Amino acid sequence: MTAAKTPGWLDWNAEPSTPDFRLPPGAVDAHCHVFGPQARFPFAPERKYTPCDASKEQLFALRDHIGVARTVIVQATCHGADNSAMLDAVRAAGGRARGVATVRPDIGEAELRQLHAAGVRGVRFNFVKRLVDAAPHEDLSAIAKKIAPLGWHVVLYFEAADLPGLEGFFGTLPVPLVIDHLGRPDVTKPVDGPEFRRFLDFAAAHDVWVKVSCPERLTVTGPPAYADVVPFARRVVAEFPDRVLWGTDWPHPNLKQHMPDDGLLVDHVPRIANTPEAQRKLLVGNPMRLYWPGETA
Ligand SMILES: O=C(O)/C=C(\C=C(/O)C(=O)O)C(=O)O
């Protein structure tokens, strides 16, 4: 018995355009997911939404269509701490994928080593209230301490308005930090305003990595240019050229107004990283250093 998709949630675009922008050789999609198929990989009972299926085969077809060489497959909340769909996809990618998992604080060293051997290199802490019930900080601290010896990092997903209440805790985590989707800024506020400056100052103070992904989630002015998001992404690329990452966020869960064309998301890249050097760092050098250290793209 498969669960019905959350009403009103859009399906991912099955016919993405061919990008005009050619990704450089070795480009990495540093943020994407697999969902199910739920007949084989059921969704978590505690989830707050039910997506449509989005299989590893469909992810790899998109990867090849837009010219990406490697993917970082991030555990989504719809699968909770059951990482089996993500692990199945990472293992099937033949070294061309890494994983970011969701784990519980009681996870043991043996299981962490199995995840590492499978290609996992980080865990995700999600603070977006519409997605999860917040975990106690002591549980997250316990996880961070357990993953530190493996050289893993923590991927953080939060709303910008919640950063003031979270940044103190983030500063205690003994591992590198990676922030999803620009820290979800309110793009109706000025890019030079105090809110985004606080985010930039936090990012600088803690040497965090920042994903300049998901313009489609942040925009008010809408596709295809996502013009209101561009200044925020450009500022992060300019201030942290060696610690920015890019991803499609395919299959784009929880979108109701519009579903992006992943080909156009690729064409968004040169608007935010406007030199070949900046593009190579964003798309190749930075993600390779974080997820495939010591390997060549
Ligand atoms: O896919 C994303 O990164 C964004 C979302 C969902 C999740 O991250 C998730 O369910 O784990 C969202 O904003 O709804």
Side-chain angles (χ1 to χ4, degrees):
M1 173 71 177
T2 56
K5 185 184 73 168
T6 303
W9 268 216
L10 300 174
D11 290 356
W12 46 273
N13 185 325
E15 297 181 336
S17 57
T18 299
D20 293 326
F21 175 65
R22 286 178 63 82
L23 292 170
V28 178
D29 178 348
H31 189 99
C32 52
H33 310 283
V34 287
F35 295 156
Q38 62 171 307
R40 185 175 169 209
F41 301 110
F43 297 126
E46 71 271 17
R47 69 187 181 277
K48 297 215 185 244
Y49 67 90
T50 301
C52 59
D53 284 348
S55 69
K56 62 176 183 288
E57 293 83 5
Q58 292 163 325
L59 172 63
F60 297 158
L62 174 77
R63 175 198 66 192
D64 298 343
H65 174 74
I66 62 176
V68 159
R70 298 170 188 239
T71 56
V72 180
I73 305 173
V74 177
Q75 180 74 354
T77 60
C78 55
H79 278 299
D82 178 353
N83 296 288
S84 48
M86 178 270 286
L87 292 168
D88 175 66
V90 172
R91 290 185 177 115
R96 295 174 63 193
R98 289 292 193 227
V100 175
T102 294
V103 301
R104 301 293 185 225
D106 60 353
I107 190 168
E109 184 179 344
E111 187 177 355
L112 285 171
R113 292 200 178 282
Q114 288 168 358
L115 292 173
H116 190 87
V120 173
R121 293 297 183 268
V123 295
R124 194 162 188 238
F125 293 170
N126 200 316
F127 298 87
V128 177
K129 297 180 181 69
R130 61 179 164 82
L131 294 172
V132 291
D133 299 324
H137 288 180
E138 56 268 25
D139 288 356
L140 302 179
S141 294
I143 292 168
K145 287 186 181 71
K146 287 184 176 180
I147 67 168
L150 291 165
W152 292 10
H153 54 270
V154 167
V155 174
L156 300 168
Y157 191 32
F158 55 87
E159 302 278 2
D162 295 332
L163 179 60
L166 290 169
E167 59 187 351
F169 167 64
F170 291 162
T172 68
L173 297 173
V175 292
L177 305 177
V178 178
I179 294 178
D180 281 342
H181 316 333
L182 288 164
R184 288 191 66 98
D186 177 349
V187 297
T188 65
K189 294 182 177 173
V191 67
D192 294 318
E195 297 81 4
F196 199 55
R197 186 69 255 163
R198 182 175 191 134
F199 170 76
L200 295 170
D201 290 347
F202 166 76
H206 298 278
D207 291 334
V208 306
W209 300 69
V210 183
K211 294 177 191 172
V212 289
S213 45
C214 281
E216 73 281 0
R217 293 188 181 283
L218 304 173
T219 189
V220 173
T221 56
Y226 306 118
D228 50 351
V229 184
V230 169
F232 293 81
R234 278 184 181 162
R235 178 65 56 86
V236 170
V237 171
E239 295 205 16
F240 311 108
D242 298 314
R243 294 200 310 275
V244 283
L245 303 166
W246 173 83
T248 59
D249 192 35
W250 187 89
H252 312 282
N254 300 314
L255 294 180
K256 291 178 277 187
Q257 265 73 42
H258 86 276
M259 178 52 66
D261 172 341
D262 292 281
L264 295 181
L265 288 180
V266 172
D267 290 340
H268 183 69
V269 169
R271 296 192 202 110
I272 63 176
N274 55 8
T275 68
E277 182 193 12
Q279 291 158 8
R280 272 193 303 277
K281 285 186 176 184
L282 171 66
L283 296 161
V284 185
N286 294 350
M288 286 300 293
R289 193 168 78 251
L290 183 60
Y291 287 101
W292 287 271
E295 295 189 35
T296 52

